[in-house]
Amino acid sequence: DRIPFPIDLSLIKKMIACGQIQTFEELHQRIGLICHNCVKFNGRESDYALLTRDFESYVDDSFLDVLQKLKDKARIAGNGSKK
């Protein structure tokens, strides 16, 4: 099978540098595309696919953690400015 949207981390870095990726959501989507492509290319039961699912889970958890920390900081900053 052909991969219709090939992408790797070096391309993501370029996309960030030129402003094509501007949000955590866009970055998360592109990393998800890397994972999808890996599984599609190597097969669902391959060792690469198993590692990719672990990596994708780690990325998901990390993004949720970062977003929560950003929300907490914004909340704290908002409360501090009201004093």
Side-chain angles (χ1 to χ4, degrees):
D1 286 330
R2 291 192 62 204
I3 303 297
F5 303 105
I7 190 168
D8 62 14
L9 292 174
S10 65
L11 181 56
I12 286 177
K13 183 178 177 181
K14 290 175 188 174
M15 293 172 82
I16 292 169
C18 75
Q20 286 184 294
I21 295 176
Q22 297 182 355
T23 66
F24 282 114
E25 183 178 290
E26 290 169 340
L27 177 59
H28 188 253
Q29 288 172 343
R30 295 314 192 289
I31 292 172
L33 181 57
I34 288 175
C35 295
H36 173 80
N37 289 349
C38 179
V39 172
K40 183 173 182 177
F41 183 80
N42 292 292
R44 289 178 187 229
E45 301 304 320
S46 70
D47 289 341
Y48 290 110
L50 298 174
L51 288 171
T52 297
R53 283 193 281 280
D54 288 343
F55 173 73
E56 193 168 23
S57 177
Y58 173 79
V59 168
D60 290 345
D61 291 345
S62 297
F63 269 80
L64 288 173
D65 185 48
V66 167
L67 291 174
Q68 185 60 51
K69 287 178 182 177
L70 289 172
K71 286 179 185 177
D72 292 346
K73 280 187 176 186
R75 182 182 46 78
I76 291 168
N79 288 338
S81 64
K82 294 179 183 179
K83 290 183 178 182

